[in-house]
Amino acid sequence: MDLKNDSIVTEFILLGFSGPWQLQIFFFVTFSLIYGATVLGNILIMVMVTFSSTLHSPMYFLLGNLSFLDMCLSTVTTPKMITDLLTEHKTISIRGCMAQMFFMHFFGGAEMTLLIAMAYDRYIAICKPLHYRRIMSHRLLSGFVILSWIIGFIHTMSQMVLTVNLPFCGPSVIDNIFCDLPLVIKLACVETYTLELFVIADSGLLSFICFILLLVSYTVILATVQQRSSEGLSKALSTLSAHIIVVTLFFGPCIFIYAWPFSSFAGNKILAVFYTVITPLLNPIIYTLRNQKMLSVMRKLWFQRVSSTQNF
């Protein structure tokens, strides 16, 4: 296909949220507060896990890494979405769009792998408590984290290497709040049927398979504990409930989006907001407010801060 220079698209238009300026201001204030709380909440978890000896355990080590990935995933899309609410022309360059998609799938793929590692950690802690420290060694934990980053990189590169050189000659409108890979592929000037199927298989099936594996692992944990004692089942449910909520919140919107990846529907933007804005905020809330040890460390750090201020 011969493309004229003046027909080559150099930027995309993100429709985002449209409406009267009062609604735009409302969205701007709301999402700014949510993003600020997301960054502060996840940084707080990372600080507590790093500097509190009480939280120097495998579960909190993985939780600290999860908070870092959540913060990065939200930062890839949310600041751009917030600034677009105050601009009339919501555009993004092709390079910026490709970078956004690269890092979204990079951090997303890494988080999927890390959630599986956290499920394995809970299995060992609940089903094999006497061997927990020996099995969940620092070497294994470091391996889990490195593996999650490697899988995230492979996941995003397998798609971006086929997308980055696609020709775009118009139209250039993306009906979403960020560059969504399936919608961007649809704008290419060449036949992309095979690539579309590959994206569904790579992202959609990966998300679905990881979600099923996590649910199966939690079911095995509960079934194992139930055979021992009802008291142990109650304790396991209390421990696993936060993990199950986080897994459902993370994978639910992702699977739903890839069930209809190449078509726009009314709830598409809502799911996108939930996946990239709401979920990274809910994770620190769920893991802190439902965790007595985390709350105790937070109170201790607060009292130390207040005492040092008063002494000063």
Side-chain angles (χ1 to χ4, degrees):
M1 178 184 292
D2 293 324
L3 299 175
K4 295 181 180 181
N5 290 335
D6 58 359
S7 68
I8 297 177
V9 172
T10 58
E11 62 182 17
F12 294 113
I13 300 173
L14 298 172
L15 293 184
F17 292 104
S18 59
W21 68 268
Q22 295 92 336
L23 185 61
Q24 299 288 311
I25 294 298
F26 172 76
F27 283 145
F28 174 80
V29 173
T30 301
F31 291 140
S32 295
L33 292 175
I34 292 176
Y35 178 66
T38 298
V39 173
L40 290 176
N42 284 292
I43 287 178
L44 178 61
I45 289 180
M46 289 186 287
V47 169
M48 289 192 297
V49 170
T50 302
F51 295 102
S52 176
S53 58
T54 308
L55 302 179
H56 286 175
S57 66
M59 185 185 78
Y60 295 107
F61 174 80
L62 295 175
L63 176 58
N65 282 274
L66 178 66
S67 294
F68 178 75
L69 290 174
D70 275 333
M71 184 177 65
C72 292
L73 182 61
S74 181
T75 301
V76 170
T77 58
T78 308
K80 171 62 177 173
M81 179 193 69
I82 293 173
T83 56
D84 280 348
L85 290 169
L86 299 181
T87 59
E88 183 178 355
H89 302 287
K90 303 174 174 60
T91 61
I92 183 172
S93 67
I94 285 188
R95 288 186 178 181
C97 185
M98 294 298 168
Q100 196 176 65
M101 292 188 295
F102 174 88
F103 286 109
M104 274 193 63
H105 287 270
F106 178 43
F107 294 126
E111 186 162 341
M112 290 180 193
T113 309
L114 195 64
L115 287 171
I116 294 177
M118 294 178 72
Y120 179 75
D121 169 76
R122 290 300 84 200
Y123 168 77
I124 299 299
I126 294 173
C127 300
K128 299 182 179 181
L130 297 179
H131 305 283
Y132 180 66
R133 287 289 182 179
R134 179 179 60 82
I135 296 176
M136 299 303 296
S137 63
H138 181 72
R139 181 179 180 180
L140 180 62
L141 292 173
S142 300
F144 278 147
V145 173
I146 294 173
L147 180 63
S148 68
W149 286 87
I150 292 176
I151 290 180
F153 182 77
I154 294 174
H155 169 63
T156 191
M157 283 300 295
S158 63
Q159 299 177 100
M160 295 308 301
V161 72
L162 301 174
T163 306
V164 68
N165 290 321
L166 286 176
F168 298 95
C169 51
S172 59
V173 178
I174 301 174
D175 188 16
N176 210 325
I177 60 174
F178 55 78
C179 287
D180 189 20
L181 182 58
L183 297 182
V184 171
I185 291 175
K186 194 175 181 180
L187 298 177
C189 301
V190 294
E191 176 59 45
T192 58
Y193 179 76
T194 303
L195 181 56
E196 292 173 6
L197 292 180
F198 178 76
V199 168
I200 295 175
D202 195 343
S203 294
L205 289 181
L206 176 64
S207 302
F208 182 74
I209 291 173
C210 289
F211 181 64
I212 295 299
L213 287 175
L214 286 166
L215 290 183
V216 169
S217 65
Y218 289 136
T219 302
V220 170
I221 293 174
L222 295 176
T224 303
V225 174
Q226 187 179 22
Q227 296 175 358
R228 298 178 180 178
S229 66
S230 58
E231 181 180 354
L233 177 62
S234 176
K235 184 177 179 180
L237 281 173
S238 177
T239 304
L240 292 178
S241 58
H243 294 268
I244 294 174
I245 292 173
V246 168
V247 166
T248 304
L249 292 176
F250 180 81
F251 283 98
C254 186
I255 294 174
F256 201 88
I257 288 173
Y258 279 96
W260 294 272
F262 298 98
S263 60
S264 298
F265 55 93
N268 197 22
K269 296 177 186 177
I270 297 176
L271 288 173
V273 168
F274 196 85
Y275 176 70
T276 60
V277 181
I278 306 300
T279 301
L281 172 64
L282 292 179
N283 286 355
I285 293 177
I286 292 170
Y287 279 116
T288 54
L289 296 183
R290 294 178 57 88
N291 191 306
Q292 292 300 320
K293 186 178 290 188
M294 292 286 286
L295 290 174
S296 176
V297 172
M298 287 178 62
R299 285 192 293 265
K300 183 178 179 180
L301 291 176
W302 173 256
F303 289 143
Q304 289 178 349
R305 174 64 178 171
V306 172
S307 299
S308 62
T309 304
Q310 291 176 346
N311 293 334
F312 180 77

